Amino acid sequence: MRAFLVTSHDSSPTISDIAKPVPTEGEVLIAIKACALNFADLLMMKGTYQDTPALPFVLGMEIAGYVEALGPNTTGPAIGTRVVVFGGQGGLAEFGCFPAERAVALPASMSFEHAAAFPVAYGTSHVALDYRAALREGENLLVLGAAGGVGLTAVEIGKLMGANVIACARGKEKLEVARRAGADHLIDAQEEDIRIAVKNLGGADVVYDPVGGEQFKAAFRACRPEARILPIGFASGDIPSIPANHLLVKNLTVMGLYWGGYLAFAPTVTTNSMQTLFSWYDHGKLKPHVSNTLPLDRADEACELLRTRKSTGKVVVTID
């Protein structure tokens, strides 16, 4: 089968012919139809992600397709079921074997492209805003990187939860994407002082930050007393330090959020979250934004769209 294979952290992945995998006990073999990319994939290519697999490995964390075979003593999902899986790796290929317990059946209304774009972006934002930060109706939610893969879902979910959503992104085009997702206020990170702009809107009760760096510092200074700050990632490449004395003075709370971690130590958190999200999708309340769809033989271009930040929402690779 064809797969986008990483053989070295010093060179680019390539489309390679490798053996089709065979499911072992507790696994399902999935005929993959779509795989969404994440910033974490870029880090894996360099070997700097916290969960980078041993070489060689196939990129692609979020997978959608249908069950083709079950491993020994594995009871389901049934062959032919349309599913989505957070596999952590292995998605940019024609087939892949994944734990059966992670395979979630799709709503009939959900396409493979939307399904692949769903788990990390929507799961991260929902667990962050609902389970971790307990976002309340009427609060000011500041979303940094608001037109990116996770940021855009935070805008959408924050609005569904009744927050006053302040979206921060670079440039009018990206801000327009955030506005269409439900943002109440827009801040252009290229043109405006984030701290002053947020303070003029009353300050932030919750900060959702997949960017880090200078934007984190500005948002931190714009927090209201008892605000909750959610570091989601560091797309800027700069991991900020947090002045503990400022936490004390304003009674601030910083809440780390690594969605994938819950799969290991508290899987019911992600399961319950996904059930809520699928229900919202089925009722037309969520509309995944896939800005770019490319075939497997152009997976390198798909990665470049993320690297250069030319995409909005999610980038999805389709497999024929």
Short mmCIF file of all heavy atoms in Angstrom, two decimals, residues 3-46:
data_model
loop_
_atom_site.label_atom_id
_atom_site.label_comp_id
_atom_site.label_asym_id
_atom_site.label_seq_id
_atom_site.Cartn_x
_atom_site.Cartn_y
_atom_site.Cartn_z
N ALA A 3 1.95 4.97 1.44
CA ALA A 3 1.94 5.66 2.73
C ALA A 3 2.94 6.81 2.70
O ALA A 3 3.95 6.75 1.98
CB ALA A 3 2.29 4.69 3.86
N PHE A 4 2.64 7.86 3.46
CA PHE A 4 3.53 9.02 3.59
C PHE A 4 4.44 8.74 4.77
O PHE A 4 4.09 8.94 5.92
CB PHE A 4 2.69 10.28 3.80
CG PHE A 4 3.44 11.57 3.59
CD1 PHE A 4 4.11 11.84 2.40
CD2 PHE A 4 3.43 12.54 4.58
CE1 PHE A 4 4.77 13.05 2.20
CE2 PHE A 4 4.08 13.75 4.39
CZ PHE A 4 4.75 14.01 3.20
N LEU A 5 5.65 8.25 4.47
CA LEU A 5 6.52 7.63 5.46
C LEU A 5 7.65 8.56 5.90
O LEU A 5 8.33 9.16 5.07
CB LEU A 5 7.11 6.35 4.87
CG LEU A 5 7.82 5.40 5.81
CD1 LEU A 5 6.83 4.77 6.80
CD2 LEU A 5 8.53 4.30 5.01
N VAL A 6 7.84 8.64 7.22
CA VAL A 6 8.97 9.37 7.81
C VAL A 6 10.06 8.36 8.11
O VAL A 6 9.87 7.45 8.91
CB VAL A 6 8.56 10.10 9.10
CG1 VAL A 6 9.75 10.85 9.70
CG2 VAL A 6 7.41 11.07 8.85
N THR A 7 11.20 8.53 7.47
CA THR A 7 12.33 7.62 7.69
C THR A 7 13.49 8.29 8.40
O THR A 7 14.40 7.64 8.90
CB THR A 7 12.84 7.04 6.36
OG1 THR A 7 13.21 8.12 5.49
CG2 THR A 7 11.76 6.19 5.69
N SER A 8 13.47 9.63 8.45
CA SER A 8 14.53 10.38 9.10
C SER A 8 13.97 11.72 9.54
O SER A 8 13.11 12.31 8.87
CB SER A 8 15.69 10.62 8.12
OG SER A 8 16.59 11.59 8.63
N HIS A 9 14.46 12.22 10.69
CA HIS A 9 14.02 13.53 11.16
C HIS A 9 14.75 14.66 10.45
O HIS A 9 14.43 15.84 10.66
CB HIS A 9 14.24 13.65 12.67
CG HIS A 9 13.41 12.70 13.48
ND1 HIS A 9 12.05 12.57 13.33
CD2 HIS A 9 13.78 11.79 14.43
CE1 HIS A 9 11.60 11.65 14.16
NE2 HIS A 9 12.62 11.15 14.83
N ASP A 10 15.70 14.31 9.61
CA ASP A 10 16.49 15.32 8.89
C ASP A 10 16.10 15.44 7.43
O ASP A 10 16.69 16.24 6.70
CB ASP A 10 17.99 14.98 8.99
CG ASP A 10 18.48 14.98 10.42
OD1 ASP A 10 18.07 15.88 11.19
OD2 ASP A 10 19.25 14.07 10.78
N SER A 11 15.13 14.65 7.00
CA SER A 11 14.69 14.72 5.61
C SER A 11 13.17 14.66 5.55
O SER A 11 12.51 14.25 6.52
CB SER A 11 15.30 13.58 4.78
OG SER A 11 14.93 12.32 5.32
N SER A 12 12.61 15.05 4.42
CA SER A 12 11.15 15.11 4.27
C SER A 12 10.57 13.71 4.09
O SER A 12 11.21 12.84 3.50
CB SER A 12 10.78 15.97 3.07
OG SER A 12 11.25 17.30 3.24
N PRO A 13 9.36 13.50 4.58
CA PRO A 13 8.68 12.22 4.33
C PRO A 13 8.43 12.03 2.83
O PRO A 13 8.37 13.01 2.07
CB PRO A 13 7.35 12.37 5.08
CG PRO A 13 7.55 13.49 6.04
CD PRO A 13 8.54 14.41 5.40
N THR A 14 8.25 10.81 2.42
CA THR A 14 8.01 10.51 1.01
C THR A 14 6.88 9.48 0.89
O THR A 14 6.62 8.70 1.81
CB THR A 14 9.26 9.94 0.33
OG1 THR A 14 9.70 8.78 1.05
CG2 THR A 14 10.38 10.98 0.30
N ILE A 15 6.21 9.50 -0.26
CA ILE A 15 5.22 8.47 -0.56
C ILE A 15 5.98 7.18 -0.85
O ILE A 15 6.81 7.12 -1.76
CB ILE A 15 4.35 8.86 -1.76
CG1 ILE A 15 3.58 10.14 -1.48
CG2 ILE A 15 3.39 7.72 -2.10
CD1 ILE A 15 2.53 10.02 -0.40
N SER A 16 5.71 6.14 -0.07
CA SER A 16 6.44 4.87 -0.18
C SER A 16 5.46 3.71 -0.27
O SER A 16 4.31 3.80 0.17
CB SER A 16 7.34 4.67 1.05
OG SER A 16 8.22 5.76 1.23
N ASP A 17 5.92 2.61 -0.85
CA ASP A 17 5.15 1.38 -0.89
C ASP A 17 5.59 0.51 0.29
O ASP A 17 6.76 0.12 0.38
CB ASP A 17 5.39 0.62 -2.20
CG ASP A 17 4.71 1.30 -3.38
OD1 ASP A 17 3.56 1.75 -3.21
OD2 ASP A 17 5.34 1.39 -4.45
N ILE A 18 4.65 0.24 1.20
CA ILE A 18 4.96 -0.59 2.37
C ILE A 18 3.91 -1.69 2.49
O ILE A 18 2.87 -1.66 1.82
CB ILE A 18 5.01 0.24 3.67
CG1 ILE A 18 3.64 0.86 3.98
CG2 ILE A 18 6.07 1.33 3.57
CD1 ILE A 18 3.58 1.58 5.33
N ALA A 19 4.17 -2.67 3.33
CA ALA A 19 3.25 -3.80 3.49
C ALA A 19 1.93 -3.35 4.12
O ALA A 19 1.92 -2.53 5.04
CB ALA A 19 3.90 -4.88 4.35
N LYS A 20 0.85 -3.90 3.63
CA LYS A 20 -0.46 -3.64 4.22
C LYS A 20 -0.50 -4.30 5.60
O LYS A 20 -0.16 -5.47 5.75
CB LYS A 20 -1.56 -4.22 3.33
CG LYS A 20 -2.97 -4.00 3.83
CD LYS A 20 -3.98 -4.58 2.85
CE LYS A 20 -5.41 -4.47 3.35
NZ LYS A 20 -6.39 -5.04 2.40
N PRO A 21 -0.89 -3.55 6.65
CA PRO A 21 -0.86 -4.11 8.00
C PRO A 21 -1.96 -5.14 8.23
O PRO A 21 -2.98 -5.17 7.54
CB PRO A 21 -1.05 -2.89 8.89
CG PRO A 21 -1.84 -1.94 8.05
CD PRO A 21 -1.35 -2.15 6.64
N VAL A 22 -1.75 -5.98 9.23
CA VAL A 22 -2.72 -7.00 9.63
C VAL A 22 -3.12 -6.73 11.08
O VAL A 22 -2.25 -6.60 11.95
CB VAL A 22 -2.13 -8.42 9.50
CG1 VAL A 22 -3.12 -9.47 9.99
CG2 VAL A 22 -1.73 -8.69 8.05
N PRO A 23 -4.42 -6.63 11.37
CA PRO A 23 -4.83 -6.29 12.74
C PRO A 23 -4.55 -7.42 13.73
O PRO A 23 -4.76 -8.59 13.43
CB PRO A 23 -6.33 -6.04 12.61
CG PRO A 23 -6.75 -6.84 11.41
CD PRO A 23 -5.58 -6.79 10.47
N THR A 24 -4.06 -7.05 14.90
CA THR A 24 -3.84 -8.01 15.98
C THR A 24 -5.02 -7.93 16.94
O THR A 24 -5.98 -7.19 16.72
CB THR A 24 -2.53 -7.70 16.73
OG1 THR A 24 -2.60 -6.36 17.26
CG2 THR A 24 -1.33 -7.78 15.79
N GLU A 25 -4.97 -8.70 18.01
CA GLU A 25 -6.08 -8.72 18.97
C GLU A 25 -6.36 -7.31 19.50
O GLU A 25 -5.44 -6.59 19.90
CB GLU A 25 -5.75 -9.66 20.13
CG GLU A 25 -6.90 -9.82 21.11
CD GLU A 25 -6.65 -10.94 22.12
OE1 GLU A 25 -5.72 -11.74 21.89
OE2 GLU A 25 -7.39 -11.01 23.11
N GLY A 26 -7.63 -6.93 19.47
CA GLY A 26 -8.03 -5.61 19.96
C GLY A 26 -7.92 -4.50 18.94
O GLY A 26 -8.22 -3.34 19.26
N GLU A 27 -7.55 -4.85 17.71
CA GLU A 27 -7.39 -3.84 16.67
C GLU A 27 -8.42 -4.01 15.55
O GLU A 27 -8.97 -5.09 15.36
CB GLU A 27 -5.99 -3.92 16.05
CG GLU A 27 -4.87 -3.46 16.96
CD GLU A 27 -3.54 -3.43 16.23
OE1 GLU A 27 -3.36 -4.23 15.28
OE2 GLU A 27 -2.68 -2.62 16.61
N VAL A 28 -8.61 -2.92 14.81
CA VAL A 28 -9.40 -2.96 13.58
C VAL A 28 -8.52 -2.48 12.44
O VAL A 28 -7.66 -1.62 12.61
CB VAL A 28 -10.67 -2.09 13.67
CG1 VAL A 28 -11.66 -2.68 14.64
CG2 VAL A 28 -10.32 -0.65 14.08
N LEU A 29 -8.72 -3.07 11.27
CA LEU A 29 -8.08 -2.59 10.05
C LEU A 29 -9.04 -1.62 9.38
O LEU A 29 -10.19 -1.97 9.10
CB LEU A 29 -7.76 -3.75 9.11
CG LEU A 29 -7.21 -3.35 7.72
CD1 LEU A 29 -5.83 -2.72 7.84
CD2 LEU A 29 -7.18 -4.55 6.79
N ILE A 30 -8.57 -0.42 9.13
CA ILE A 30 -9.42 0.61 8.53
C ILE A 30 -8.94 0.93 7.12
O ILE A 30 -7.73 1.15 6.90
CB ILE A 30 -9.44 1.88 9.38
CG1 ILE A 30 -10.12 1.58 10.72
CG2 ILE A 30 -10.17 3.03 8.67
CD1 ILE A 30 -10.17 2.76 11.66
N ALA A 31 -9.86 0.90 6.18
CA ALA A 31 -9.60 1.43 4.84
C ALA A 31 -9.75 2.94 4.96
O ALA A 31 -10.86 3.45 5.14
CB ALA A 31 -10.58 0.85 3.83
N ILE A 32 -8.65 3.65 4.90
CA ILE A 32 -8.63 5.08 5.20
C ILE A 32 -9.10 5.89 3.99
O ILE A 32 -8.65 5.67 2.87
CB ILE A 32 -7.22 5.52 5.63
CG1 ILE A 32 -6.79 4.73 6.88
CG2 ILE A 32 -7.17 7.02 5.91
CD1 ILE A 32 -5.34 4.90 7.26
N LYS A 33 -10.01 6.81 4.25
CA LYS A 33 -10.55 7.66 3.20
C LYS A 33 -10.16 9.13 3.38
O LYS A 33 -10.15 9.90 2.40
CB LYS A 33 -12.07 7.54 3.16
CG LYS A 33 -12.55 6.15 2.73
CD LYS A 33 -11.99 5.81 1.36
CE LYS A 33 -12.33 4.41 0.92
NZ LYS A 33 -11.70 4.07 -0.39
N ALA A 34 -9.83 9.54 4.59
CA ALA A 34 -9.44 10.92 4.84
C ALA A 34 -8.60 10.98 6.10
O ALA A 34 -8.79 10.21 7.05
CB ALA A 34 -10.66 11.83 4.97
N CYS A 35 -7.64 11.91 6.11
CA CYS A 35 -6.78 12.12 7.27
C CYS A 35 -6.53 13.62 7.41
O CYS A 35 -6.12 14.28 6.44
CB CYS A 35 -5.45 11.37 7.11
SG CYS A 35 -4.27 11.68 8.45
N ALA A 36 -6.79 14.17 8.58
CA ALA A 36 -6.56 15.59 8.82
C ALA A 36 -5.16 15.80 9.41
O ALA A 36 -4.67 14.98 10.19
CB ALA A 36 -7.61 16.14 9.77
N LEU A 37 -4.54 16.91 9.03
CA LEU A 37 -3.22 17.24 9.54
C LEU A 37 -3.31 18.18 10.73
O LEU A 37 -4.26 18.94 10.88
CB LEU A 37 -2.39 17.89 8.43
CG LEU A 37 -2.05 17.00 7.24
CD1 LEU A 37 -1.18 17.76 6.26
CD2 LEU A 37 -1.34 15.73 7.70
N ASN A 38 -2.28 18.13 11.56
CA ASN A 38 -2.18 18.98 12.74
C ASN A 38 -0.77 19.52 12.87
O ASN A 38 0.18 18.96 12.30
CB ASN A 38 -2.52 18.17 14.00
CG ASN A 38 -3.97 17.73 14.03
OD1 ASN A 38 -4.83 18.46 14.48
ND2 ASN A 38 -4.24 16.52 13.54
N PHE A 39 -0.64 20.59 13.64
CA PHE A 39 0.69 21.16 13.88
C PHE A 39 1.62 20.10 14.48
O PHE A 39 2.82 20.09 14.21
CB PHE A 39 0.57 22.37 14.81
CG PHE A 39 1.87 23.10 15.01
CD1 PHE A 39 2.40 23.89 14.01
CD2 PHE A 39 2.55 23.00 16.21
CE1 PHE A 39 3.60 24.56 14.18
CE2 PHE A 39 3.75 23.68 16.41
CZ PHE A 39 4.28 24.47 15.39
N ALA A 40 1.04 19.19 15.27
CA ALA A 40 1.84 18.14 15.88
C ALA A 40 2.53 17.27 14.83
O ALA A 40 3.62 16.73 15.08
CB ALA A 40 0.97 17.27 16.79
N ASP A 41 1.92 17.10 13.66
CA ASP A 41 2.55 16.32 12.60
C ASP A 41 3.87 16.94 12.17
O ASP A 41 4.84 16.24 11.87
CB ASP A 41 1.61 16.19 11.40
CG ASP A 41 0.42 15.29 11.67
OD1 ASP A 41 0.64 14.13 12.07
OD2 ASP A 41 -0.72 15.74 11.51
N LEU A 42 3.91 18.28 12.13
CA LEU A 42 5.15 18.97 11.76
C LEU A 42 6.22 18.72 12.80
O LEU A 42 7.41 18.56 12.47
CB LEU A 42 4.89 20.46 11.59
CG LEU A 42 3.81 20.88 10.59
CD1 LEU A 42 3.73 22.41 10.51
CD2 LEU A 42 4.08 20.29 9.21
N LEU A 43 5.82 18.71 14.07
CA LEU A 43 6.79 18.45 15.14
C LEU A 43 7.29 17.01 15.09
O LEU A 43 8.47 16.74 15.33
CB LEU A 43 6.15 18.74 16.50
CG LEU A 43 5.67 20.17 16.74
CD1 LEU A 43 5.04 20.29 18.13
CD2 LEU A 43 6.81 21.16 16.59
N MET A 44 6.40 16.08 14.76
CA MET A 44 6.81 14.67 14.64
C MET A 44 7.86 14.50 13.54
O MET A 44 8.80 13.71 13.69
CB MET A 44 5.60 13.79 14.33
CG MET A 44 4.72 13.47 15.50
SD MET A 44 3.50 12.22 15.02
CE MET A 44 2.45 12.24 16.47
N MET A 45 7.66 15.21 12.44
CA MET A 45 8.62 15.11 11.34
C MET A 45 10.02 15.49 11.81
O MET A 45 11.02 14.91 11.37
CB MET A 45 8.18 16.02 10.19
CG MET A 45 6.95 15.51 9.46
SD MET A 45 6.15 16.76 8.41
CE MET A 45 7.47 17.13 7.25
N LYS A 46 10.10 16.44 12.76
CA LYS A 46 11.39 16.89 13.29
C LYS A 46 11.86 16.06 14.49
O LYS A 46 12.99 16.21 14.94
CB LYS A 46 11.28 18.36 13.73
CG LYS A 46 10.96 19.33 12.62
CD LYS A 46 10.82 20.74 13.19
CE LYS A 46 10.46 21.76 12.12
NZ LYS A 46 10.28 23.12 12.71
#
